[in-house]
Amino acid sequence: MILLALAAAALAGAETPRHFVERVYAGYGHESYDPLAHPERLFAPALVAAIHEDQRLAKGEVGFLDGDPVCDCQDPGGLRATIAEIVTTAPNAATARVALRFGPDRRALTLRLVRTAAGWRIADIASQTDPSLLKDLQASNRRQRTGH
């Protein structure tokens, strides 16, 4: 068991930002794939904390996240993702621009990535309409906590 954990940690450390993003979107090939089921596998700690707080504050109802932020959709059926560009901005940071297609529907996302002890993770997501999922989610959580 310890050897398996060490091997996984070594693999995560060797993974490039491109391979991480490819792996994230390859998950959609499985019918039951849900990036929010185990957010720590894909998202950086601050985004994981905001996702968990949103779920807690929603008390079993739909919270701020009413869809899948990685595909910017509610139903990923027919999703085709193409990595348009990966830019490494620092040794532990990168930006990935991803083009998504759902039949005739097209959209673009920018994934801000950070390297954590567990490997590359998504620190934030920007869409054409929202520049920061993390900031929007944190602001929604603040409003929910204060009742405003």
Side-chain angles (χ1 to χ4, degrees):
M1 190 67 142
I2 292 174
L3 288 176
L4 184 59
L6 289 173
L11 181 61
E15 188 174 47
T16 67
R18 177 173 293 279
H19 289 133
F20 170 73
V21 174
E22 288 171 347
R23 183 170 52 83
V24 167
Y25 285 101
Y28 288 97
H30 304 282
E31 190 174 310
S32 62
Y33 183 68
D34 178 3
L36 297 175
H38 300 282
E40 66 282 350
R41 293 180 184 171
L42 299 182
F43 302 108
L47 192 49
V48 170
I51 290 167
H52 284 310
E53 185 173 13
D54 177 55
Q55 292 168 339
R56 181 184 62 77
L57 292 168
K59 298 177 183 163
E61 300 294 324
V62 175
F64 178 83
L65 287 178
D66 64 347
D68 178 341
V70 179
C71 68
D72 193 25
C73 67
Q74 295 205 356
D75 178 8
L79 172 67
R80 300 271 187 235
T82 303
I83 300 170
E85 177 181 37
I86 302 266
V87 176
T88 303
T89 55
N92 293 323
T95 300
R97 290 181 187 22
V98 182
L100 304 175
R101 284 188 8 232
F102 304 84
D105 187 22
R106 298 177 192 280
R107 61 191 73 163
L109 293 179
T110 299
L111 308 178
R112 291 183 194 94
L113 309 174
V114 295
R115 187 190 328 247
T116 69
W120 288 99
R121 296 293 184 266
I122 300 168
D124 203 359
I125 301 174
S127 70
Q128 294 164 315
T129 57
D130 294 310
S132 174
L133 171 66
L134 178 60
K135 287 181 182 175
D136 290 347
L137 189 53
Q138 289 171 331
S140 173
N141 289 342
R142 275 191 303 279
R143 285 190 302 275
Q144 290 298 317
R145 281 192 310 267
T146 63
H148 296 98

